[in-house]
């Protein structure tokens, strides 16, 4: 178990696999003695308290994120396994690999160009930052620092000469830092249209109840252990994924450069977001190829967490908390006016407390439905614990129009998926189906929900595994704590993070269309749809490929005998008789 997962609360931990299943290609030079033959896999996950058996002098196994996703030997939440390829060190290595590409323009014709393309290693660097990460860093700063101010400190780190550019081999810095809140607003409108049947709903809509799919820990769990829930997963991309697609597609088409020349870094509260970035469904193989998942150019090249922001600054000899919270240096305009206005709108919209700390997918759907039905009300029914809540939209007449629910934490998620499990037909002649169908109808099976917001972490995304915790040395030192903080101190710390998340300016209207437009929580649905339509027209790619994704069952082959080719059988036989090549 890693240090990130606390033994005080295993609510978001499922179980480790017995062994890693990635095949190791070796050619033995001599047959091992019969007494030394171990029928188990060569490389195993060693649990605490176990001693590894003596092994041969084999090289260390290297397992990529793609390999990890291809296996269901491990199922965890809030922890990505073997994520060495996505870390603060990878960010520094990339920045120091070659001089950065430089955006030039606009010219007399209004177009932009790129300098430095002759160097094949040169990249154009773009970063996107989540509000939950800004809130975690704001709480670590203390002294009433808001989420918006923490965002400016991050921008100073990425954009200014006194940030990452100082001490780097080439003095590289990022061209833009964008807020994933803009992509979040787009996913809210897309998700509402998917559930309520709006104008831009996908052709392959999810089955009812629709389940949130922006949490990669939950998605991986569903794909590996409960494939029968996959038809219920929302087809809308997460804000991280949508932002990655938006940046890679628009910049590559406008600047006429390959998407692999654009390097996109995402700052997220969750380690599982690293796994999401490695999904084959989120590459240019989908939007620039035949529409099928494949190993193409990733929409998000690297993900680091809130904790790793501090490590990133320290690696350059910088004190993150010493950077100014003032406005960052002026950056070039995004080469498309409409997308520029969408990404860099003035002001800072305050997060709604009613929407929660995970983006507000369900809350937006409820508020949208309420706005379309004047006189209706949203009623809340508390569940068995704080992370299970049921919501109803009740018409003026008293009729229940729509039901939704929130399930946070794997302990609650397991109860949800059990309710969704289809009944199995009895093998006995005349026997009744068994499973979920044998529950009394009065108990309810949850299928009357229109939407369920599902998140792996108890308390939501501000409590993600990559967030700064109260017992981290940086917090202990800055708060001057004499004793090691415990669970009670962590709860108080979480309240500080949540307060920072909800800090900010008063929510503005955000409406950019006529007064008849439906505006929900300051988000204009028609404006978002216009931006999405413009994006599709600009890139020449259908919105179906840009904004939506797919899922697939991951079948474990742990403990199953692998089918070998004739060549593999010859190699194995040669090894057993002491031969070789």
């Amino acid at each position: 178990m890693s240090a990130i997962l606390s033994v005080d609360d295993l609510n978001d931990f499922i179980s480790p696999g017995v062994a890693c299943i990635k095949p190791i290609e070796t050619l033995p030079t001599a047959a091992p003695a019969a007494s030394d033959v171990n029928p188990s896999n060569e490389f195993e996950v060693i649990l605490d308290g176990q001693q590894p058996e003596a092994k041969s002098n084999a090289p260390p196994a290297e397992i990529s994120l793609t390999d990890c996703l291809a296996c269901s030997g491990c199922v965890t939440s809030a922890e990505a396994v073997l994520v060495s390829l996505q870390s603060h060190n990878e960010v520094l290595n990339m920045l120091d690999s070659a001089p950065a590409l430089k955006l030039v323009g606009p010219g007399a014709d209004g177009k932009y160009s790129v300098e430095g393309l002759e160097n094949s290693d040169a990249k154009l660097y773009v970063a996107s930052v989540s509000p939950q990460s800004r809130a975690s860093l704001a709480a670590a700063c203390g002294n009433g620092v808001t989420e918006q101010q923490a965002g400016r400190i991050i921008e100073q780190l990425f954009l200014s000469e006194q940030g990452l550019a100082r001490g780097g081999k080439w003095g590289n810095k990022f061209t833009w830092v964008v807020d994933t809140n803009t992509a979040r607003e787009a996913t809210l409108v897309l998700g509402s249209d998917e559930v309520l049947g709006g104008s831009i709903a996908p052709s392959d809509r999810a089955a009812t109840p629709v389940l949130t799919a922006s949490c990669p820990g939950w998605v991986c769990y569903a794909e590996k252990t409960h494939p029968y829930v996959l038809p219920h997963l929302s087809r809308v991309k997460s804000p991280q994924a949508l932002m990655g697609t938006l940046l890679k597609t628009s910049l590559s088409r406008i600047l006429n450069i390959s998407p692999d020349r654009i390097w996109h870094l995402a700052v997220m509260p969750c380690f599982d977001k690293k796994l999401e970035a490695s999904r084959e469904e989120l590459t240019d193989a989908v939007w620039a190829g035949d529409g099928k998942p494949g190993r193409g150019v990733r929409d998000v090249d690297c993900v680091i967490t809130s904790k790793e922001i501090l490590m990133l600054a320290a690696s350059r000899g910088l004190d993150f908390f010493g950077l100014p919270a003032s406005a960052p240096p002026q950056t070039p305009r995004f080469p498309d006016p409409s997308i520029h206005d969408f990404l860099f709108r003035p002001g800072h919209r305050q997060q709604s407390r009613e929407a929660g700390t995970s983006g507000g997918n369900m809350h937006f759907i409820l508020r949208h439905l309420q706005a379309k039905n004047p006189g209706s009300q949203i009623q809340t029914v508390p569940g068995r614990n704080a992370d299970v809540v049921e919501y109803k939209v009740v018409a003026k007449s008293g009729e229940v129009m729509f039901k939704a629910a929130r399930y946070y934490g794997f302990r609650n998620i397991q109860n949800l998926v059990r309710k969704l499990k289809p009944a199995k037909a009895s093998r006995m002649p005349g026997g009744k189906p068994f499973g979920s169908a044998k529950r009394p109808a009065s108990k309810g099976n949850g299928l009357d929900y229109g939407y369920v917001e599902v998140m792996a972490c108890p308390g939501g995304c501000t409590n993600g595994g990559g967030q700064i915790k109260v017992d981290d040395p940086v917090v202990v030192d800055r708060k001057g704590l004499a004793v090691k903080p415990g669970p009670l101190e962590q709860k108080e710390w979480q309240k500080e993070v949540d307060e920072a998340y909800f800090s900010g300016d008063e929510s503005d209207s955000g409406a950019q269309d006529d007064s008849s437009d439906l505006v929900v929580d300051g988000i204009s649905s028609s404006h978002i749809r216009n931006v999405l339509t413009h994006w599709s027209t600009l890139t020449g790619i259908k919105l179906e490929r840009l904004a939506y994704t797919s899922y697939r069952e991951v079948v474990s082959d742990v403990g199953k005998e692998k089918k070998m080719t004739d060549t593999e059988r010859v190699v194995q036989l040669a090894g057993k008789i002491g031969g070789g090549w």
Side-chain angles (χ1 to χ4, degrees), residues 174-245:
F174 284 75
T175 302
W176 295 289
V177 175
V178 297
D179 183 358
T180 58
N181 261 331
T182 55
R184 177 187 67 88
E185 293 180 2
T187 62
L188 294 182
V189 174
L190 288 163
S192 178
D193 278 9
E194 178 185 32
V195 175
L196 302 179
S199 60
I200 55 175
S203 57
D204 181 22
R205 293 172 60 182
T208 304
V210 179
L211 308 178
T212 315
S214 57
C215 173
W218 149 241
V219 171
C220 286
Y221 173 62
E223 288 182 326
K224 296 175 179 180
T225 63
H226 300 290
Y228 56 84
V229 307
L230 297 185
H232 295 276
L233 293 184
S234 170
R235 301 297 185 263
V236 179
K237 288 182 177 180
S238 71
Q240 170 185 294
L242 189 70
M243 181 62 79
T245 308

